Amino acid sequence: MKEEVRAKRRQLRDFTGPVALADRLEKSKAMDRPVRALAKAVRRRIRPGLLRDVLHGVPIGEPLHPPLASVSLGCWMSTAVLDLAGADPRAARLLLATGIANAVPTAAAGLTDWSSLHREQQRVGFVHMLSNLTALGLFSASLLARLRGRERSGRLLSFAGLGIGTLGAYLGGHMAYRQAAGANHAPQVSHLVPLGWHDLCPIKDLPEGRPVARRLGYIQLFVLRRGEGVIVLADHCPHLAGPLHQGRLVMEDGEACVVCPWHGSTFRLGDGSVRHGPATAPAPTFETRVRRDGTIQVRPGLT
Ligand code: FES
C-alpha cells in the first residue's frame, strides 16, 4: 500500500514538478506565433555587426546576458535583505534603481541571444522573458512607491517582483543547463582525440576549395583543401552544433572565414576564432601535415 502511495506521489511529481513543467513548456506550440514574430523582429532590428556581437558577448568570449542578469538579481535580492533587516531605506532604493537600470542592457543581450536559438529553447525563453518583464514592472512600481513615501507598499511590490523574478531565473537555468543555450557545443577535442598525429584521408580524395566533412574517431571534422595545404576544424559549430562544412566561405578584412549555415556565426579559418556571433567560443582547430604517400594527418591544435 505504502509503495502504491509512493509511486503515485512520484508520478504526480514527475507531472507537476518544476522540471516537468519546463519540459512541457518546451513542447508547447501555444505561443509559437508571437515567438516567431518577436524573434524575426529582433533579428531585423539588431543587424549583424558590432552591436550584435557585443550583445552576444563575442568580445568577452562568453554570453553577456548571464553575468548582467546576475547583477540585477543580486541588487534586488539585496534590496529584500535590507528591507527585512529594516536598514536605511535610501540604500534599498539605490539598489533597486541600480537593478532596474541594469535590466535594460541585460534584456537587450538576452533578446539578441534568444533570437538565434532553437524553437524549444525560444519557447522557454519567451516565458522567461515575460516573467522577468513582470518582475521588472513590479520593481519599477516599488521604486515609485518608495519615492512617494509609500515604503510599505514599495516593499510588498519588491517581494512580489522577487517571487516572479525567481521563476524567470529558474527558467533561465533550465535553458542554460537542460537545453544548453549559450553553452559551447564544439567538441572538447582534447578529450575525444588522443594526442599525436592521426591519419585522416588521402589528399587526392578532397575537392579543391570546397569544405567537406570527415570523421576522426568520435568526432566530425570540417576539412578544406587549398592547393597542397589542408585546413581542419571541428565541424560542430560552438553555438548550437550546426554543420560548419555546409557553411559559406567568405573573406573578412583579408581573412578567410567560414559562416555557419544555421545562425551565421563566422569563424576565422586560420585559428578558429570567432569573427561574428552568436557563437562566443572558438571552433577547435587541428594541425595538419601531408605524408609522402599523400595521406593527410591531423592532431588537435592549441585552441
Ligand atoms: S549553430 Fe548557430 S551559428 Fe552555428
Side-chain angles (χ1 to χ4, degrees):
M1 189 63 188
K2 267 187 185 167
E3 194 42 52
E4 242 176 62
V5 173
R6 260 192 233 124
K8 279 217 170 108
R9 271 197 201 138
R10 221 174 10 246
Q11 264 179 2
L12 191 67
R13 205 178 46 233
D14 288 350
F15 194 69
T16 59
V19 175
L21 291 175
D23 282 346
R24 293 225 299 279
L25 202 52
E26 279 179 34
K27 293 178 191 112
S28 163
K29 296 185 177 166
M31 288 171 297
D32 278 5
R33 272 180 96 166
V35 165
R36 243 193 324 266
L38 181 62
K40 204 168 153 193
V42 173
R43 285 196 302 270
R44 227 184 4 231
R45 196 102 202 145
I46 307 176
R47 308 295 302 173
L50 182 63
L51 175 65
R52 189 154 109 175
D53 284 341
V54 168
L55 290 172
H56 279 309
V58 173
I60 59 169
E62 54 189 66
L64 183 62
H65 175 69
L68 285 180
S70 309
V71 173
S72 284
L73 266 181
C75 286
W76 294 330
M77 188 69 86
S78 308
T79 304
V81 172
L82 292 184
D83 285 346
L84 287 172
D88 184 346
R90 284 174 307 177
R93 261 180 255 154
L94 181 63
L95 280 170
L96 200 49
T98 307
I100 291 168
N102 182 69
V104 176
T106 306
L111 264 178
T112 310
D113 287 344
W114 173 84
S115 67
S116 300
L117 290 177
H118 292 317
R119 186 51 41 85
E120 293 77 8
Q121 296 164 327
Q122 285 183 334
R123 288 171 184 152
V124 179
F126 192 67
V127 181
H128 165 74
M129 180 189 70
L130 292 180
S131 315
N132 288 339
L133 277 180
T134 309
L136 182 60
L138 288 165
F139 287 124
S140 305
S142 164
L143 184 61
L144 273 180
R146 290 171 197 243
L147 289 173
R148 286 177 182 155
R150 302 207 315 264
E151 202 58 39
R152 191 179 140 74
S153 321
R155 288 180 184 187
L156 288 176
L157 284 163
S158 278
F159 288 128
L162 205 54
I164 306 276
T166 304
L167 170 69
Y170 177 82
L171 292 176
H174 184 88
M175 290 173 73
Y177 300 112
R178 293 276 291 210
Q179 298 185 294
N184 179 3
H185 288 255
Q188 299 299 303
V189 287
S190 53
H191 296 158
L192 296 169
V193 179
L195 290 175
W197 291 99
H198 305 276
D199 290 352
L200 188 62
C201 63
I203 193 165
K204 67 177 172 47
D205 289 357
L206 296 177
E208 171 64 33
R210 180 169 62 81
V212 290
R214 290 287 181 272
R215 280 210 82 78
L216 178 67
Y218 298 114
I219 64 170
Q220 183 154 294
L221 301 179
F222 161 103
V223 184
L224 173 65
R225 177 177 176 184
R226 296 174 115 195
E228 292 313 300
V230 182
I231 291 167
V232 177
L233 306 173
D235 192 46
H236 284 173
C237 172
H239 177 231
L240 283 175
L244 288 183
H245 76 277
Q246 291 177 17
R248 265 181 312 120
L249 298 179
V250 295
M251 292 299 287
E252 288 244 357
D253 296 334
E255 292 176 305
C257 300
V258 59
V259 181
C260 177
W262 285 6
H263 311 102
S265 290
T266 306
F267 303 92
R268 293 179 183 90
L269 292 178
D271 59 4
S273 60
V274 181
R275 175 90 207 190
H276 300 299
T280 52
T285 56
F286 286 77
E287 291 178 47
T288 62
R289 69 183 184 191
V290 183
R291 270 193 348 210
R292 277 213 190 120
D293 64 0
T295 302
I296 301 165
Q297 291 191 311
V298 297
R299 72 175 175 189
L302 296 175
T303 56

